[in-house]
Amino acid sequence: MTKIKHVYTFGDKKAEGNASMKNLLGGKGANLAEMNLIGVPVPPGFTITTEACTEFNHVGRDKIIELLKDEVEAAVKYVEDIMGGKFGDVENPCLLSVRSGARASMPGMMDTVLNLGLNDEVVQSMIKKTNNPRFVWDSYRRFIMMYGDVVMGMKYMGHEEDPFEEVIDEIKEAKGIEHDSDLTTEDFQELVKRFKVLVRESTGRDFPTDPWEQLWGGIIAVFESWNNPRAEYYRMMHDIPADWGTAVNVQAMVYGNMGQTSGTGVAFTRDAATGEDIFNGEYLLDAQGEDVVAGTRTPRQITLEGSKRWAVLAKVSEEERKETYPSLEEVMPEIFEELMEYQQKLEDHYKDMQDLEFTIQEGKLWMLQTRNGKRTGLAMVKIAIDMLKDGGIDEKTALLRCEPNKLDELLHPVFDKNAIAGANVLAKGLPASPGASTGQIVFFADDAETWSQEGKDVLLVRVETSPEDLKGMNLAKGILTARGGMTSHAAVVARGMGKCCVAGAGALKISYKDRTVTIDGKTYKEGEWMSLNGTTGEVYEGKIKTIDPEVSGYFGEIMDLAEKHTRMRVRTNADTPKDATVARNFGAKGIGLCRTEHMFFEGDRIWAMREMILASDEAGRRKALEKLLPIQREDFEGVFEAMQGLPVTIRLLDPPLHEFVPHDDKSQKEMADKMGITPDEVKAAVDSLHEFNPMLGHRGCRLGITYPEITEMQARAIIEAALNLKKKGMKVLPEIMIPLIGTEQEFKLQEELVRETAEKVFIDYGDRVEYLVGTMIEIPRACLTAEDIAKSADFFSFGTNDLTQMAFGYSRDDSGKFLDVYVKSGVLKHDPFQILDQEGVGQLVEMGVHRGRTNKKDLKIGICGEHGGEPNSVEFCHRVGMDYVSCSPFRVPIARLAAAQAAIKDRLR
Amino acid sequence: MTKIKHVYTFGDKKAEGNASMKNLLGGKGANLAEMNLIGVPVPPGFTITTEACTEFNHVGRDKIIELLKDEVEAAVKYVEDIMGGKFGDVENPCLLSVRSGARASMPGMMDTVLNLGLNDEVVQSMIKKTNNPRFVWDSYRRFIMMYGDVVMGMKYMGHEEDPFEEVIDEIKEAKGIEHDSDLTTEDFQELVKRFKVLVRESTGRDFPTDPWEQLWGGIIAVFESWNNPRAEYYRMMHDIPADWGTAVNVQAMVYGNMGQTSGTGVAFTRDAATGEDIFNGEYLLDAQGEDVVAGTRTPRQITLEGSKRWAVLAKVSEEERKETYPSLEEVMPEIFEELMEYQQKLEDHYKDMQDLEFTIQEGKLWMLQTRNGKRTGLAMVKIAIDMLKDGGIDEKTALLRCEPNKLDELLHPVFDKNAIAGANVLAKGLPASPGASTGQIVFFADDAETWSQEGKDVLLVRVETSPEDLKGMNLAKGILTARGGMTSHAAVVARGMGKCCVAGAGALKISYKDRTVTIDGKTYKEGEWMSLNGTTGEVYEGKIKTIDPEVSGYFGEIMDLAEKHTRMRVRTNADTPKDATVARNFGAKGIGLCRTEHMFFEGDRIWAMREMILASDEAGRRKALEKLLPIQREDFEGVFEAMQGLPVTIRLLDPPLHEFVPHDDKSQKEMADKMGITPDEVKAAVDSLHEFNPMLGHRGCRLGITYPEITEMQARAIIEAALNLKKKGMKVLPEIMIPLIGTEQEFKLQEELVRETAEKVFIDYGDRVEYLVGTMIEIPRACLTAEDIAKSADFFSFGTNDLTQMAFGYSRDDSGKFLDVYVKSGVLKHDPFQILDQEGVGQLVEMGVHRGRTNKKDLKIGICGEHGGEPNSVEFCHRVGMDYVSCSPFRVPIARLAAAQAAIKDRLR
């Protein structure tokens, strides 16, 4: 039997592991090894494997120590040899750190212990060695705190506050000191004394003085932290299996706070904001890593160029800069040269922009970490294309480097960085539709119309919006609602318009009567300025300047690449020629969902629509439908024309009729006058349309079946529009979509009616046009019986909004009351209206696709729910074999990139 | 190659086919053959096989005639030989009939042609032969009408009315005659003349005079009728495959209208009303079959005993009876003896009560048809048990002979037959809960209470009912609503109470203000009498006497048999000790669904419930829940006690909280006073509970997860109640059921909370009790992820009401608007809320059962939706392997019988 190796050493440009061993060594351990192999100096150390962690979970503390003892001792020896000291030695001590490192990154989820090996004797020799008693005593008290918390469980002993912090506060209070940095060497000594007493009192045990006991304690604590509730929750949310386990990385300690020849810093190999190929970063002398980011001292720039640019922005004179904030390039030119060499080496090696951490200990540079750097959408696109052009990466890699959702940043206005700096956040709602906007608040859609026609920028503020507000919403700069979720009317419509929207900001108390909104006790009147960030959900007080970001050529290049590598096509959900044009410019390959109902709200149309609904018999309905026919036909002509020959899927009337009729006395009176009946009759007719659960009521094809004349009118309008454009020499591809199908028979009845109507129109026109008749698949039963429905359908389009509603039994209008709690408490990983629930709803979709194609191998299948623009869901759609996804115009580029990535990943699999 | 036989002859006590050949000869053809074989005289004839029909569908008219020609000609010869005449012969003609006859009975769906072979010459010899010109000319004109309609398609030629009837009307008008029976021989001759002209004008062809052309025309017409729209629709509704085809039965004509030695009649081998073993029936001399049922002449009784009994009821003296209405036994004693012999032979042979048709032609008795007779529920049960005791059938057959739904007749009051005779039907609604009731109408539940406490019988008439009406509903004799379907609140609650209910009677215009209901323009005031038939949905004017039917010992014997042969157990849905007791007496083996919410409406409880709901924080809720705890505990004790140790499944709070709070100003004010807050605050709290689609909103376990204290209180009440009864030495089996589970995590959270609470109670009491924690499976996603949910669940109970709502996307409260149209037009075969949709919803159920048992082989599974008492659905539940079904108390016997039948059919399979 071969003995299984549990410990892998690294250091001095040698390593037993490498970057490909992430499963065994964890991400961090594998990269530490790899850095050694490419000649980057890393504090030496070793990695205990994830397999050891799994073993620990089975056999427990004592057995695992027995198992690992020889290997760990040999590895410590290896570290000692490189560092020229000895762990726990009183003469020449070497201190260690212990850090976790799982296969997948789990930031902050598990534990770390630094400065292992310190005790009362070692402290003395450290002081001798460093000649820096304050640094040593500070390190010692930090070690006791960290070890006490992590290994000895002090935090979990019923204290409300961290008990160590309480002791520090006592001393600070006694001495009238405000900051930790004002504590003296003697204070730290006193703290160490008191901390030890505290540990004994709290745990009943003495703080361990044996370095080896300390080390094993730290290793076991990291193993145990794999199963802490925080980590368990994180794993659940990110689908990380519990049996992966974490590796443990033990390294020699290095210090940046040992005087003016020491320091620490962070750096990026390229500009994370713009993507420019400029090395940049910040550092501090005599400091630890946390000092750079803490903001208590002003960090200096690493490069001279960066330093000079910074001075201009910070209004610091060149003299002062040189004096007080010199660059590393100036202060330590040799170290700087070395750093430049490593950053280039690391970027070349990892072939991506790197985010580096380093420490300089008494004139020696140590690299502590390298990882792919976070960046803005703009930088993401530029870096990918630049690296592709440099030949560093290929096209597929360039595409995979871009995060689809980040493209969103390139498509909407943003706040001016300087203007937003000191802005006051009033409230936070859902980031319902991205972008930034600023304007004067109004509370009624009518006012939004009037005010904006007067040239004012307005924000429409409502408890919630309804289809009657459409025009006002379209003219407002942004929309803010107090109620409703990510798929509320306001959110859906705003995303469709590409307009900034913050929805469901619960803190808003709106008084329509007074035309005011009160937030946290402060009242804002109509006409006051506010600003919205639809990307974050933040609501600001006052006017904040916005800027339209430049969509550089890089964006277009990425889109071209996506086009080249995708299998699925991306269509758009658009109801108007304007939306259609926007989407086509973004690369949409057709309309996947044109909702006809929105067309009925504008201007006089609503009256004809209402007349149709309130008619008491078929004859009355037909009379009103005759008025609607030319209007619909014209609308369709506009949309067809905008799409220039690309396919256009038109959904027949879907919402319950109740949504169209007048509900207030005034409009009912007006309606009665127009129809020549009494207001009571109108009211009675409206009341008879009331439904307890309209979502599950008389809507979709149920309307078309009970009132076939509506389907007839719409089919006629579509076919006539197509023929009219054909006459003008244009190409048109209408796809007529029947909504809310649940049974084969429903579809057959409607499909036959559409085809009969089309034939009649063909005879009237003496000409024909190609068209398809298909259906929305949005009812669970339709997925279950898709085999039958497919028999007479030309295409399926999954309506995953409704499918999610019915599969979960969640009304999207009402689920806000519990969905937040569900997501926060981990009952659900995501809001299923935002990210398709692949585990449940996805099964129905897959079933629908599979069964639909049982009888019809080439059945065209797409998705037109909100999920069609969400990258995870797009990948799912690719995987189950859909032909296209359809999303709102402003998400088309995102979906295109996601679709290309899905195709690439699929081929890699 | 063997030549396939397409024609099977029968006659003169010989036959080529028999009763087992239904697939080939159709039901009618097989029975005609069988009757010959057992020595019953049947007009001779032959059957053309269903295979020939299928062949016809492929090859068409000409080929099929060519194929069948030789066999049909030989068969006609066979008939001629027996009848001693010749088809189409001018000297001694023999006439034929052509009738359809499919494998399954399809009454009235396909075509029949009588008197084939008549033409101008044959008429003359027929007159000579019968010496009855009026009879012959009448037959001739009937033949042209029938043949013209059926074979020549006159009805489908754009006439609104039957064109032949128009001609008859012309003649009748010209002669001032009212009835067809007043037409003379000459009139019939004239009709024949005019009919022939009409046929030529309408079809462009002469009426065929060649008997063989007539015969082939008839045969082909029957083949074609298999595919007429009527038959297609019937097949779709009854799952009859299109490729079965119909057989064609050709028989010699016999006539009961050839004078006083001829006659016709129908008879039953036992009493269809009571099941008594008494042969009975009616006949008429010189008459055709349709005259007996048409009611233009008073039919006479066949037996002397029956005749005498009839005379008493009809108040006819013995003299008049003997003179005018003598029995067949008296008039034709020999024929009567022969008939007695055949009826006994047929019942013995078919081993079931038979419904017979016969014709006497000039002193010779011909049996035309025998089939199993329709009967009342009472007769059904008695006949099955009688035949079992006689040894005619075995236990399984006796059970299969009973139609479960018919047991319903034995369980509810019915109208007195005499009293109902002349009653005036005002309206028709849905037969929501069976039985008959009569009472004075009231419009408010309060009044129902007061009036019935004053000893009055009342009917509660409402637009719809709500949980607040419960007490009034319980005290009323019956419930009538203007809105709502078979699963509306009124319907569900009434069925639970076993109370008569007619729901959704759309013709009712109720004015609560005036306390009146207007039906068809006539207004009824509070206090006026009405009567309801909940079995048919009829609403009658005035007071009609009702009687409680006797539940005889036969019923009990059938239930004992069912018990012996069933695999599944039957439980009941019951919320009160009273309902529980009723159900246990009906044989329920436990409670499958005890809804806790109904318990919150009575008396003062509602105030505590409302206080809980309207509380602004957890502390407030807990305070109110403390008041509810003892009430709930007491309720549970009552139910446990009533079930005497049988398992009781208690569902935790399910409906949206909105249903409990006060909606009108008055109650809101009262609530505010009780809570010490302002009415505006109450109103605001109530409004905040409003939901757009409450069915898909904040309810079920979503309440328990957002307000865990509710689950805690209910779990505590259940466990405490169980322990209290245990203390008294009683056995209790509580099963705690979490509603509306959609994800594994939801269930786990609630299950853990219940178990933690139970452990706390066990500590408090110093004693333990067995209990289970399981879940409703009523959300599509729960079926899809049942494998995971089952991990921690002790049982599944399918809530197929909600599952149907979500799988179809139908709100049961709103679907009335389109569901009627859907069922009538065949989009759906049944209302899926009444009969489980096995094709769609059934897939989800099967998936849930199968996946649930993947991880837990013995998972206990049942159903507690309304479908649990519907026989088809019960059979389905058996088939997918459920352990039990649960239904309302009054459907328990039905479910028990259906479950036994399912088990028997399963073993037969």
Side-chain angles (χ1 to χ4, degrees), chain B residues 646-909:
Chain B
L646 293 170
V648 175
T649 308
I650 296 169
R651 179 176 73 184
L652 301 187
L653 192 65
D654 183 55
L657 301 180
H658 199 244
E659 288 192 7
F660 299 95
V661 294
H663 293 285
D664 59 297
D665 290 348
K666 196 183 142 217
S667 321
Q668 288 186 353
K669 170 91 176 58
E670 201 176 344
M671 188 73 229
D673 291 347
K674 279 187 199 271
M675 288 185 73
I677 55 177
T678 69
D680 277 352
E681 285 172 308
V682 171
K683 189 173 175 342
V686 168
D687 287 350
S688 77
L689 292 172
H690 168 76
E691 294 185 307
F692 295 100
N693 298 286
M695 177 53 51
L696 307 176
H698 194 191
R699 55 176 282 245
C701 70
R702 299 163 199 172
L703 294 172
I705 287 173
T706 47
Y707 306 125
E709 53 277 10
I710 300 179
T711 300
E712 261 178 67
M713 181 281 282
Q714 292 203 297
R716 176 169 281 274
I718 293 167
I719 300 293
E720 288 187 354
L723 285 166
N724 286 347
L725 291 201
K726 191 182 171 190
K727 242 186 247 170
K728 294 189 196 164
M730 286 183 220
K731 199 183 144 201
V732 187
L733 275 179
E735 304 181 341
I736 299 172
M737 181 156 73
I738 317 290
L740 217 66
I741 289 294
T743 77
E744 177 190 1
Q745 198 61 17
E746 280 177 319
F747 183 73
K748 264 173 70 177
L749 284 175
Q750 288 285 286
E751 185 243 5
E752 283 165 11
L753 185 57
V754 168
R755 295 206 187 275
E756 279 163 23
T757 307
E759 290 301 326
K760 281 184 202 155
V761 179
F762 294 159
I763 291 170
D764 293 350
Y765 275 65
D767 194 7
R768 306 184 65 84
V769 70
E770 291 292 312
Y771 69 99
L772 304 180
V773 188
T775 173
M776 292 275 281
I777 300 287
E778 53 191 330
I779 283 189
R781 197 180 184 283
C783 298
L784 294 161
T785 60
E787 206 168 319
D788 297 324
I789 295 170
K791 283 181 203 156
S792 40
D794 292 328
F795 63 88
F796 277 4
S797 179
F798 283 86
T800 47
N801 294 358
D802 274 8
L803 195 58
T804 299
Q805 295 198 84
M806 292 175 204
F808 271 99
Y810 294 165
S811 157
R812 68 183 179 196
D813 291 320
D814 305 308
S815 56
K817 285 185 187 156
F818 54 88
L819 222 48
D820 280 358
V821 177
Y822 269 32
V823 172
K824 273 180 204 145
S825 66
V827 168
L828 293 171
K829 284 183 200 165
H830 318 283
D831 177 343
F833 293 112
Q834 288 179 48
I835 300 187
L836 183 76
D837 163 53
Q838 299 184 16
E839 195 185 335
V841 182
Q843 282 193 52
L844 287 173
V845 173
E846 210 168 344
M847 205 178 278
V849 171
H850 178 75
R851 296 184 180 182
R853 289 201 176 126
T854 306
N855 281 332
K856 197 171 269 178
K857 215 175 70 215
D858 298 326
L859 185 70
K860 185 156 77 168
I861 299 181
I863 183 177
C864 63
E866 288 280 308
H867 298 113
E870 192 285 312
N872 288 304
S873 313
V874 170
E875 187 180 336
F876 171 82
C877 293
H878 174 96
R879 216 164 51 230
V880 300
M882 290 198 191
D883 298 305
Y884 69 89
V885 298
S886 186
C887 56
S888 55
F890 285 86
R891 292 200 76 84
V892 166
I894 295 163
R896 290 176 69 198
L897 176 55
Q901 290 186 343
I904 293 167
K905 286 182 201 166
D906 197 15
R907 278 181 223 114
L908 293 178
R909 202 170 287 130

Side-chain angles (χ1 to χ4, degrees), chain B residues 430-650:
Chain B
L430 296 168
S433 181
S437 64
T438 195
Q440 293 173 271
I441 57 173
V442 296
F443 298 95
F444 296 93
D446 290 353
D447 295 330
E449 274 185 64
T450 335
W451 290 41
S452 51
Q453 278 153 2
E454 292 165 7
K456 289 176 183 163
D457 288 345
V458 299
L459 298 183
L460 178 60
V461 181
R462 301 279 305 163
V463 174
E464 54 207 346
T465 62
S466 78
E468 302 185 12
D469 300 331
L470 270 187
K471 200 162 180 186
M473 292 169 77
N474 200 17
L475 291 169
K477 291 286 164 190
I479 295 148
L480 171 61
T481 68
R483 268 222 290 263
M486 291 297 287
T487 48
S488 61
H489 179 265
V492 172
V493 170
R495 281 199 293 279
M497 294 173 170
K499 188 171 303 289
C500 167
C501 173
V502 173
L508 274 62
K509 309 272 171 258
I510 295 172
S511 165
Y512 287 129
K513 208 182 92 221
D514 303 337
R515 304 193 170 222
T516 59
V517 53
T518 305
I519 307 173
D520 266 345
K522 188 166 173 192
T523 299
Y524 299 83
K525 289 195 207 111
E526 181 180 74
E528 292 198 53
W529 285 81
M530 283 194 192
S531 301
L532 306 177
N533 186 341
T535 314
T536 62
E538 277 153 342
V539 181
Y540 295 91
E541 199 171 46
K543 183 176 183 173
I544 303 174
K545 194 183 161 198
T546 65
I547 46 171
D548 289 337
E550 270 178 44
V551 176
S552 73
Y554 291 101
F555 173 63
E557 291 185 56
I558 281 288
M559 284 295 100
D560 289 345
L561 278 186
E563 189 71 22
K564 189 170 161 187
H565 290 276
T566 194
R567 176 182 65 70
M568 282 199 302
R569 298 290 122 184
V570 176
R571 294 191 181 187
T572 191
N573 304 343
D575 311 339
T576 63
K578 188 182 140 209
D579 283 355
T581 306
V582 168
R584 202 168 38 74
N585 290 338
F586 280 142
K589 289 285 183 285
I591 290 181
L593 176 62
C594 175
R595 302 178 194 85
T596 55
E597 52 269 21
H598 289 172
M599 302 179 173
F600 291 123
F601 281 103
E602 269 180 53
D604 282 347
R605 315 172 158 206
I606 189 69
W607 294 108
M609 185 67 183
R610 287 171 174 177
E611 191 185 322
M612 192 278 289
I613 295 168
L614 301 178
S616 55
D617 58 8
E618 188 186 324
R621 281 192 295 276
R622 286 200 181 271
K623 207 178 120 220
L625 285 166
E626 266 169 39
K627 296 184 197 167
L628 289 169
L629 174 66
I631 299 172
Q632 284 251 295
R633 186 175 53 219
E634 205 180 313
D635 284 334
F636 294 139
E637 286 173 8
V639 172
F640 287 150
E641 204 167 335
M643 289 313 282
Q644 305 196 349
L646 293 170
V648 175
T649 308
I650 296 169

Side-chain angles (χ1 to χ4, degrees), chain A residues 236 464 483 687-699 701-703 705-706 740 742-746 749 779-782 784-785 788 805-815 817-818 821-822 825-828 837 839-841 843-844 847 851, chain B residues 236 464 483 687-699 701-703 705-706 740 742-746 749 779-782 784-785 788 805-815 817-818 821-822 825-828 837 839-841 843-844 847 851:
Chain A
M236 190 195 71
E464 55 207 346
R483 267 222 291 262
D687 287 351
S688 77
L689 292 172
H690 169 77
E691 294 185 306
F692 295 101
N693 298 287
M695 178 52 51
L696 306 176
H698 194 191
R699 55 177 280 244
C701 71
R702 299 162 198 172
L703 294 172
I705 286 173
T706 47
L740 218 69
T743 77
E744 178 189 0
Q745 198 62 17
E746 280 177 320
L749 284 175
I779 283 188
R781 195 180 187 283
L784 295 162
T785 60
D788 297 324
Q805 294 199 81
M806 292 174 204
F808 271 99
Y810 293 166
S811 157
R812 67 183 179 194
D813 291 320
D814 304 307
S815 56
K817 285 184 188 160
F818 54 89
V821 177
Y822 269 32
S825 66
V827 169
L828 292 172
D837 162 54
E839 194 185 335
V841 181
Q843 281 194 52
L844 287 173
M847 205 179 278
R851 295 183 181 183
Chain B
M236 189 195 71
E464 54 207 346
R483 268 222 290 263
D687 287 350
S688 77
L689 292 172
H690 168 76
E691 294 185 307
F692 295 100
N693 298 286
M695 177 53 51
L696 307 176
H698 194 191
R699 55 176 282 245
C701 70
R702 299 163 199 172
L703 294 172
I705 287 173
T706 47
L740 217 66
T743 77
E744 177 190 1
Q745 198 61 17
E746 280 177 319
L749 284 175
I779 283 189
R781 197 180 184 283
L784 294 161
T785 60
D788 297 324
Q805 295 198 84
M806 292 175 204
F808 271 99
Y810 294 165
S811 157
R812 68 183 179 196
D813 291 320
D814 305 308
S815 56
K817 285 185 187 156
F818 54 88
V821 177
Y822 269 32
S825 66
V827 168
L828 293 171
D837 163 53
E839 195 185 335
V841 182
Q843 282 193 52
L844 287 173
M847 205 178 278
R851 296 184 180 182

Side-chain angles (χ1 to χ4, degrees), chain A residues 211-272:
Chain A
W212 281 97
E213 187 186 341
Q214 293 173 359
L215 178 60
W216 287 115
I219 291 171
I220 298 297
V222 171
F223 281 156
E224 281 174 342
S225 70
W226 175 253
N227 286 319
N228 75 31
R230 211 162 68 234
E232 274 186 357
Y233 181 78
Y234 188 93
R235 284 205 299 273
M236 190 195 71
M237 297 301 284
H238 294 85
D239 286 323
I240 298 174
D243 61 6
W244 277 8
T246 180
V248 182
N249 297 294
V250 181
Q251 271 180 292
M253 288 293 301
V254 292
Y255 299 93
N257 55 346
M258 289 180 73
Q260 291 302 313
T261 57
S262 299
T264 191
V266 297
F268 296 91
T269 60
R270 303 195 179 207
D271 189 309

Side-chain angles (χ1 to χ4, degrees), chain B residues 3-7 67-76:
Chain B
K3 200 162 178 281
I4 294 166
K5 184 172 170 66
H6 293 103
V7 174
L67 181 76
L68 297 177
K69 196 164 182 290
D70 293 350
E71 285 185 87
V72 166
E73 284 178 3
V76 168

Side-chain angles (χ1 to χ4, degrees), chain A residues 681-756:
Chain A
E681 284 171 309
V682 171
K683 189 175 176 339
V686 168
D687 287 351
S688 77
L689 292 172
H690 169 77
E691 294 185 306
F692 295 101
N693 298 287
M695 178 52 51
L696 306 176
H698 194 191
R699 55 177 280 244
C701 71
R702 299 162 198 172
L703 294 172
I705 286 173
T706 47
Y707 306 125
E709 53 276 11
I710 299 179
T711 300
E712 261 178 68
M713 182 282 281
Q714 292 202 297
R716 175 169 282 274
I718 293 166
I719 299 294
E720 288 187 354
L723 285 165
N724 286 347
L725 290 201
K726 190 182 172 191
K727 242 185 247 170
K728 295 190 196 162
M730 287 182 218
K731 200 183 145 200
V732 187
L733 275 179
E735 305 182 339
I736 299 172
M737 181 156 73
I738 318 288
L740 218 69
I741 289 293
T743 77
E744 178 189 0
Q745 198 62 17
E746 280 177 320
F747 183 73
K748 265 173 70 178
L749 284 175
Q750 288 284 287
E751 184 242 7
E752 282 164 11
L753 185 57
V754 168
R755 294 205 189 276
E756 279 162 23

